[in-house]
Amino acid sequence: MQIFSTVAELRAFTEEARRAGHRLGLVPTMGALHAGHLQLVAAARAECDAVVASVFVNPTQFNNPDDYRLYPRLPQADTDLLAAAGCTAAFLPSVEEMYPQPAALRFDFGALERVMEGAQRPGHFNGVATVVSKLFHMARPHRAYFGQKDWQQVAIVRQLVADLSFDLEIVAFPTVREADGLAMSSRNRRLGPEARAAAPQLHQALAAAAAQVRQGVPPAKVQAQAEAALAGAPEIGLEYFAVADAATLQPLAAYAPGRAVVLCLAAELGGVRLIDNVVVDGA
Amino acid sequence: MQIFSTVAELRAFTEEARRAGHRLGLVPTMGALHAGHLQLVAAARAECDAVVASVFVNPTQFNNPDDYRLYPRLPQADTDLLAAAGCTAAFLPSVEEMYPQPAALRFDFGALERVMEGAQRPGHFNGVATVVSKLFHMARPHRAYFGQKDWQQVAIVRQLVADLSFDLEIVAFPTVREADGLAMSSRNRRLGPEARAAAPQLHQALAAAAAQVRQGVPPAKVQAQAEAALAGAPEIGLEYFAVADAATLQPLAAYAPGRAVVLCLAAELGGVRLIDNVVVDGA
């Protein structure tokens, strides 16, 4: 596996690969890799001739300086995992390499980012769209792979690709979970023992709510019951629990036939902010 | 010259050209071509292996419906001129082809678009950045050519390219003028005889102001004298006259050593809105 730290190296590699007619897959990550990331790499390997994984903790998508500072950084372990997973190249740039000058341009995705993560983390999706655009322009992928744990992020990136006519396909994969249901996340490494013990309750609440949605329990009641259940766990500080249209992300007053529903939450556990979601297909 | 009306045709052509190692030039236009556009095509021909010119009156950059409706459309004449100028391909898409769905994403360029055209035409540069991003993703140019008559547009496009790390070079060419100094513009076709007769006063005012800037006359005085001169022409409705930093586009209180100055104006003549500018290099 080749390891690049400069944009020029990555560009030269991807230009040559495309010139040779290879199909390129990109797996953008912030590192501290887990099985969820490696699932994306495996899928990219199966579908593409060359796979580039980027490892970059993108400062512009953090609204909380502590969250940025404390985000796990494990470049050696990450490159070992990526090499073992069969990546063709890893891209680990510095902040200065990605942002030689501060960006003046700001993205706004309208209603899609007025809810959930966009509402709770001002500027988050501007940072996401900026870094994803940069990575697309550097890695020139035919396909780019994202995890559905960041459901709203996937929706934003799909909108970005459609609205700016990026010539690539977004592929999203279901969340990979620990045996007890906790969604895999790089931030899980920061959970203390008590927070880790309480964390599976997040997915339990989502699963219970999904069962209610399937039974036709009204959205407001589903939300209230999930909020009440999580309020009973003193280790969990719930930020939001949303019952939303899976495509528009807007909160639901009632279910609509044939439209999928997404249940999304964010919570703080012992100083670590986690998100998770479950999708219920439309009936 | 090949003529494409679909994105798929253009993409196939540009993908093949890049695969063959050709250097691609893009000249984005709104058609009703004049010598200014053809200068850009000639430059692209001299520097690139293949030249794509797009002809698309982009609805999302018009804030005034009449301006959009009345914008000259001359596809046959345009393709004849592009073929004669040695273009490799012309791209003339429909609105539906460029915008199969309305965009949700909005661009904001901050201070760069709080002045002049950005201030006078709400949403204009969002539309410009959107269509330029789309064209870049479709035509995959190594170089894209723009006219300096749209000075602020060039600044916005350069910012777009830098902030999103587009892998291409922006090339800007000086404004081409009629013998009497009027900046060439597709909108000049819409000028009636009286408006056309008055129109050279725009460049005369800019040229007089530029002479004053070179003499060190303070910006506020330069602006006031230009405004007064143009107020004397009943056919001309001045919208703004700005004395600005050529890079930041912000209005100047005083000159700074080594920094170029741009003089920009917009005016309405008999229902037609024209812009023009002159740059004075920093001393």
Side-chain angles (χ1 to χ4, degrees), chain A residues 5-22:
Chain A
S5 60
T6 68
V7 175
E9 290 169 301
L10 177 62
R11 282 202 203 281
F13 172 82
T14 59
E15 177 75 15
E16 186 54 37
R18 287 201 74 128
R19 181 118 24 123
H22 294 162

Side-chain angles (χ1 to χ4, degrees), chain A residues 117 149 182-189 191 195-196 199-200 202 237 239-240 265-269 271-276:
Chain A
E117 295 302 286
K149 183 169 76 65
L182 176 63
M184 290 206 187
S185 164
S186 302
R187 289 184 176 87
N188 291 353
R189 296 173 179 277
L191 294 172
R196 178 64 188 80
L202 299 178
E239 214 174 79
Y240 63 80
L265 63 75
E268 198 246 48
L269 289 85
V272 183
R273 188 176 182 279
L274 300 179
I275 61 172
D276 197 359

Side-chain angles (χ1 to χ4, degrees), chain B residues 17-170:
Chain B
R18 286 200 76 126
R19 179 102 48 106
H22 294 162
R23 291 201 41 94
L24 278 170
L26 172 68
V27 183
T29 84
M30 298 212 300
L33 302 176
H34 52 66
H37 298 110
L38 298 177
Q39 171 192 247
L40 302 180
V41 173
R45 268 197 77 190
E47 298 172 353
C48 304
D49 301 310
V51 177
V52 175
S54 59
V55 176
F56 179 60
V57 184
N58 174 37
T60 67
Q61 73 188 69
F62 285 84
N63 57 313
N64 178 338
D66 279 344
D67 190 26
Y68 176 61
R69 185 173 56 83
L70 297 171
Y71 200 90
R73 288 166 172 86
L74 302 161
Q76 186 61 57
D78 289 342
T79 47
D80 290 350
L81 284 168
L82 293 173
C87 268
T88 321
F91 178 49
L92 291 87
S94 66
V95 171
E96 296 68 31
E97 187 71 14
M98 287 298 281
Y99 295 100
Q101 58 183 46
L105 175 169
R106 305 274 304 174
F107 285 103
D108 186 322
F109 289 89
L112 216 45
E113 65 164 295
R114 298 284 177 275
V115 295
M116 304 195 283
E117 294 302 286
Q120 297 292 326
R121 304 180 67 187
H124 173 63
F125 287 118
N126 172 61
V128 168
T130 300
V131 79
V132 164
S133 295
K134 283 174 173 278
L135 290 169
F136 286 172
H137 290 145
M138 294 166 185
R140 308 176 221 269
H142 294 82
R143 290 187 166 202
Y145 295 79
F146 292 84
Q148 288 181 357
K149 185 170 73 67
D150 298 291
W151 185 266
Q152 191 176 13
Q153 172 175 280
V154 173
I156 292 276
V157 172
R158 285 191 195 280
Q159 192 74 47
L160 173 74
V161 167
D163 286 355
L164 301 189
S165 301
F166 276 94
D167 190 16
L168 54 85
E169 190 182 343
I170 299 298

Side-chain angles (χ1 to χ4, degrees), chain B residues 167-180:
Chain B
D167 190 16
L168 54 85
E169 190 182 343
I170 299 298
V171 186
F173 271 83
T175 303
V176 178
R177 300 183 180 281
E178 304 289 352
D180 59 13

Side-chain angles (χ1 to χ4, degrees), chain A residues 71-86:
Chain A
Y71 199 90
R73 289 164 171 87
L74 303 160
Q76 186 60 58
D78 289 343
T79 48
D80 291 349
L81 285 167
L82 292 172

Side-chain angles (χ1 to χ4, degrees), chain A:
Chain A
M1 184 180 75
Q2 298 190 66
I3 300 179
F4 305 128
S5 60
T6 68
V7 175
E9 290 169 301
L10 177 62
R11 282 202 203 281
F13 172 82
T14 59
E15 177 75 15
E16 186 54 37
R18 287 201 74 128
R19 181 118 24 123
H22 294 162
R23 291 204 35 98
L24 278 170
L26 171 68
V27 183
T29 83
M30 298 211 301
L33 302 176
H34 52 65
H37 298 110
L38 298 177
Q39 170 192 247
L40 302 180
V41 173
R45 268 197 77 191
E47 297 171 355
C48 303
D49 301 310
V51 177
V52 174
S54 60
V55 175
F56 179 61
V57 184
N58 174 37
T60 67
Q61 72 188 69
F62 285 84
N63 57 313
N64 177 338
D66 280 343
D67 190 26
Y68 176 61
R69 186 172 54 83
L70 297 171
Y71 199 90
R73 289 164 171 87
L74 303 160
Q76 186 60 58
D78 289 343
T79 48
D80 291 349
L81 285 167
L82 292 172
C87 268
T88 320
F91 178 50
L92 290 87
S94 67
V95 171
E96 295 68 31
E97 186 71 14
M98 287 299 282
Y99 295 99
Q101 57 182 46
L105 176 168
R106 305 274 306 172
F107 285 104
D108 186 322
F109 290 89
L112 215 45
E113 65 163 294
R114 297 285 177 274
V115 295
M116 305 195 284
E117 295 302 286
Q120 297 291 327
R121 305 180 67 187
H124 173 62
F125 287 119
N126 172 60
V128 167
T130 301
V131 80
V132 164
S133 295
K134 283 173 172 276
L135 290 169
F136 287 172
H137 290 144
M138 294 166 184
R140 308 177 222 268
H142 294 83
R143 290 187 166 202
Y145 295 79
F146 292 85
Q148 287 181 358
K149 183 169 76 65
D150 298 291
W151 184 266
Q152 191 176 12
Q153 173 175 280
V154 173
I156 292 277
V157 172
R158 286 192 194 281
Q159 192 75 46
L160 174 73
V161 167
D163 286 354
L164 301 189
S165 301
F166 276 95
D167 190 17
L168 54 85
E169 191 182 342
I170 298 300
V171 185
F173 271 84
T175 303
V176 179
R177 299 181 181 282
E178 305 288 353
D180 59 13
L182 176 63
M184 290 206 187
S185 164
S186 302
R187 289 184 176 87
N188 291 353
R189 296 173 179 277
R190 293 184 46 221
L191 294 172
E194 287 185 17
R196 178 64 188 80
Q201 293 179 68
L202 299 178
H203 181 244
Q204 286 159 19
L206 288 167
Q212 292 185 314
V213 171
R214 286 190 198 94
Q215 289 158 18
V217 177
K221 195 166 174 189
V222 171
Q223 180 183 342
Q225 295 198 350
E227 287 170 351
L230 290 167
E235 305 83 358
I236 297 175
L238 184 67
E239 214 174 79
Y240 63 80
F241 187 102
V243 183
D245 184 280
T248 67
L249 308 188
Q250 301 310 299
L252 288 178
Y255 304 113
R259 290 195 69 89
V261 174
V262 67
L263 304 164
C264 297
L265 63 75
E268 198 246 48
L269 289 85
V272 183
R273 188 176 182 279
L274 300 179
I275 61 172
D276 197 359
N277 67 78
V278 165
V279 181
V280 183
D281 288 332

